[in-house]
Amino acid sequence: MKLHKESKGTITVATILFVILGALAIYFLKIWSLLIILPLLVIYSLVFWFFRVPDRNILEHKENVIAPVDGKVVMIKEVDEDEFIKGKAIQVSIFMSPLNVHICRYPVSGNVIYKKYHPGKYLVAWHEKSSTENERTTVAVETLTNHKVVFRQIAGYVARRIVFYCNEGDAAKAGHEFGFIKFGSRMDVFLPLDTEIICKIGDITKGGLDVIAKLKD
């Protein structure tokens, strides 16, 4: 199983803790140490599972808006996007549990024209206000169809580290990685009002593969 580059520090710490706690359990509890070691082994395995990098065949897209993450669609709503669009947009929000793949992918193809990191709170990721009050990053892309699409990584109650690698001027390719969020969170995508929304609330998405909307060409 291929692991993400962001896993290095977390897995190092988890390995050290697993060895120390396992050794202490064996020393003090002898045969009963299995009651400690087995749950520790499950947790240790979940750390590796969280950082997995699935092998996915990413296609070329123009009008299609691709799911930026693995997760569940929890919101489709017309909102005011005040940071970049400064007007009405359709917000599609996808919630990621700690068991989902947490690679963040470009939802559209084009050019990165804006990026900004915002410190903030750590409300639960499905809270509506988390989009504007939590720690988050905002990225905007001018698409191949000449639309401006904004998407936002949002830290949740558990997720306390957001990473994004893109810079203004970079080429964005739908389905390709631009960042990572550790241990459960949410991504919002803000689309033009005339966008055809294909997904619905409750849908389970595969990042980089599933089409969630279609821009007008």
Side-chain angles (χ1 to χ4, degrees), residues 2-67:
K2 184 179 178 181
L3 297 177
H4 196 274
K5 61 184 179 181
E6 297 294 338
S7 68
K8 186 176 180 180
T10 302
I11 288 178
T12 298
V13 172
T15 300
I16 293 171
L17 289 175
F18 178 72
V19 171
I20 292 174
L21 293 175
L24 289 173
I26 292 171
Y27 182 80
F28 288 106
L29 300 177
K30 309 302 181 185
I31 186 64
W32 297 104
S33 65
L34 288 176
L35 296 175
I36 301 296
I37 292 175
L38 289 179
L40 285 176
L41 185 60
V42 171
I43 295 171
Y44 185 58
S45 299
L46 286 174
V47 173
F48 280 84
W49 180 248
F50 174 83
F51 286 104
R52 68 196 184 279
V53 178
D55 185 18
R56 292 183 180 171
N57 182 27
I58 308 299
L59 304 177
E60 297 289 330
H61 297 279
K62 183 180 179 182
E63 303 94 349
N64 290 339
V65 181
I66 305 302

Side-chain angles (χ1 to χ4, degrees), residues 74-75 83 91 93-96 118-138 152-159 162 184-188 190:
V74 295
M75 183 187 298
E83 181 178 348
Q91 177 181 332
S93 298
I94 300 175
F95 174 73
M96 296 169 279
H118 303 269
K121 300 177 182 179
Y122 295 99
L123 302 172
V124 289
W126 57 82
H127 195 296
E128 189 168 346
K129 290 186 177 180
S130 66
S131 182
T132 55
E133 296 187 11
N134 277 21
E135 178 186 4
R136 60 200 183 278
T137 67
T138 302
R152 187 170 291 144
Q153 297 169 292
I154 302 170
Y157 184 73
V158 177
I162 297 174
S185 194
R186 198 176 98 194
M187 271 201 71
D188 293 343
F190 298 88

Side-chain angles (χ1 to χ4, degrees), residues 141-171:
V141 167
E142 185 167 3
T143 72
L144 299 179
T145 54
N146 298 314
H147 295 91
K148 291 179 174 60
V149 171
V150 172
F151 42 100
R152 187 170 291 144
Q153 297 169 292
I154 302 170
Y157 184 73
V158 177
R160 297 297 176 105
R161 185 166 183 226
I162 297 174
V163 181
F164 66 139
Y165 314 119
C166 61
N167 292 297
E168 291 181 18
D170 285 354

Side-chain angles (χ1 to χ4, degrees), residues 182-199:
K182 289 189 176 182
F183 300 114
S185 194
R186 198 176 98 194
M187 271 201 71
D188 293 343
V189 182
F190 298 88
L191 301 164
L193 293 178
D194 62 353
T195 302
E196 178 188 356
I197 304 299
I198 295 174
C199 64

